[in-house]
């Protein structure tokens, strides 16, 4: 499932006293199977943009095609919203049913599916996020840990069988262990079932570790679009936008300035370790 956006502009309160240009002439494409990182400081337009990705917003200026469907025609919007799952920031606040089983089943029930199919979807989606169905099915979702709540909320979206999964700061507020668990599960979903993933995050380390391509927004404009490795070579420009780069990238660039022969397009600890070992071997052969 693909997304293509052409010349998209969004204005809040147009011609009103609070008129605000939220998005300006956005052009981008997302292919089936992509893992996209969407980054930008607060107020850059990220939250507005992702609402176009699943037709919660319909364009007045420009066009949005989801799986070759022009959303401005306002046809098949229900189907689009089922196929493009959106998990808002702090999704555990959206949990409301008495049991985990009922919460995950809420979406499928609204599709008027048979009881057996609903039950299968609940079991499958909980398994996909690493939660044991038998262990939690009758528990209140509010009795779970923060990381478990987040995974149950994601399971509720997965139970709708989306082809694209959009996650707005999925690790926000979690401790390091919970953060690692939830992002590892998302990566596994991408790899094992072929989900297209769009990860919105303030964490440069997170998008560096997981995303294949990055979209960088600044004041409503798409200023950079490209492979993660290439984007993080623009360290100074990213810093000017208040974003920075992963700490390990900063370290490698400082080493370069001190005369060490290491690559500047390093953005994970694993890559840095491998590059430093190569640099050491080069020195030993001199």
């Amino acid at each position: 499932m693909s997304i293509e956006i052409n010349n998209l502009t969004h204005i809040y309160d147009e011609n009103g006293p609070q008129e605000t240009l939220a998005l300006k002439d956005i052009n981008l494409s997302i292919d089936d199977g992509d893992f996209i990182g969407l980054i930008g400081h607060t107020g850059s337009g990220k939250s507005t943009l992702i609402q176009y990705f699943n037709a919660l917003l319909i364009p007045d200026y420009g066009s949005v095609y989801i799986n070759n469907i022009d959303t401005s025609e306002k046809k098949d919007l229900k189907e689009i919203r089922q196929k493009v799952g959106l998990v808002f920031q702090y999704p555990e606040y959206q949990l409301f049913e008495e049991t985990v089983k009922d919460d995950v089943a809420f979406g499928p029930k609204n599709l008027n599916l048979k009881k057996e199919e609903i039950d299968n979807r609940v079991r499958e989606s909980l398994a996909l996020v690493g939660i044991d169905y038998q262990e939690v099915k009758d528990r209140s979702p509010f009795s779970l840990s923060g990381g478990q709540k987040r995974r149950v909320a994601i399971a509720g979206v997965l139970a709708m069988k989306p082809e694209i999964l959009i996650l707005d700061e999925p690790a926000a507020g979690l401790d390091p262990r919970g953060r690692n668990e939830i992002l590892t599960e998302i990566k596994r979903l991408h790899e094992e079932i072929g989900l297209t993933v769009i990860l919105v995050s303030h964490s440069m380390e997170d998008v560096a570790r997981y995303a294949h391509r990055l979209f960088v927004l600044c004041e409503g404009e798409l200023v950079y679009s490209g492979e993660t490795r290439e984007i993080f070579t623009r360290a100074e420009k990213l810093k000017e936008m208040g974003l920075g780069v992963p700490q390990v990238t900063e370290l490698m660039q400082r080493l370069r300035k001190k005369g060490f022969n290491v690559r500047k397009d390093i953005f994970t600890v694993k890559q840095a370790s491998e590059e430093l070992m190569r640099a050491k071997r080069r020195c030993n052969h001199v």
Side-chain angles (χ1 to χ4, degrees), residues 201-265:
S201 180
H202 282 94
S203 170
M204 299 303 102
E205 278 73 21
D206 288 348
V207 294
R209 184 176 178 185
Y210 297 103
H212 302 157
R213 290 199 295 143
L214 296 183
F215 296 145
V216 184
L217 288 179
C218 183
E219 297 181 354
E221 296 188 57
L222 182 64
V223 292
Y224 294 125
S225 171
E227 292 185 4
T228 301
R229 182 185 299 275
E230 189 273 331
I231 297 298
F232 280 134
T233 63
R234 305 171 186 263
E236 295 306 316
K237 292 294 185 181
L238 291 172
K239 289 176 186 177
E240 290 174 9
M241 289 184 277
L243 295 175
V245 295
Q247 292 180 354
V248 71
T249 305
E250 182 81 25
L251 170 63
M252 300 302 281
Q253 294 183 355
R254 288 182 182 178
L255 289 174
R256 283 177 60 86
K257 289 179 181 179
K258 291 182 178 293
F260 289 89
N261 183 19
V262 294
R263 287 165 37 207
K264 63 179 181 179
D265 59 341

Side-chain angles (χ1 to χ4, degrees), residues 17-43:
Q18 303 297 320
E19 179 173 306
T20 304
L21 181 63
L23 296 174
K24 181 181 178 182
D25 199 28
I26 301 292
N27 292 276
L28 61 82
S29 62
I30 298 171
D31 297 325
D32 188 36
D34 267 348
F35 197 129
I36 300 293
L38 177 59
I39 59 177
H41 57 73
T42 301

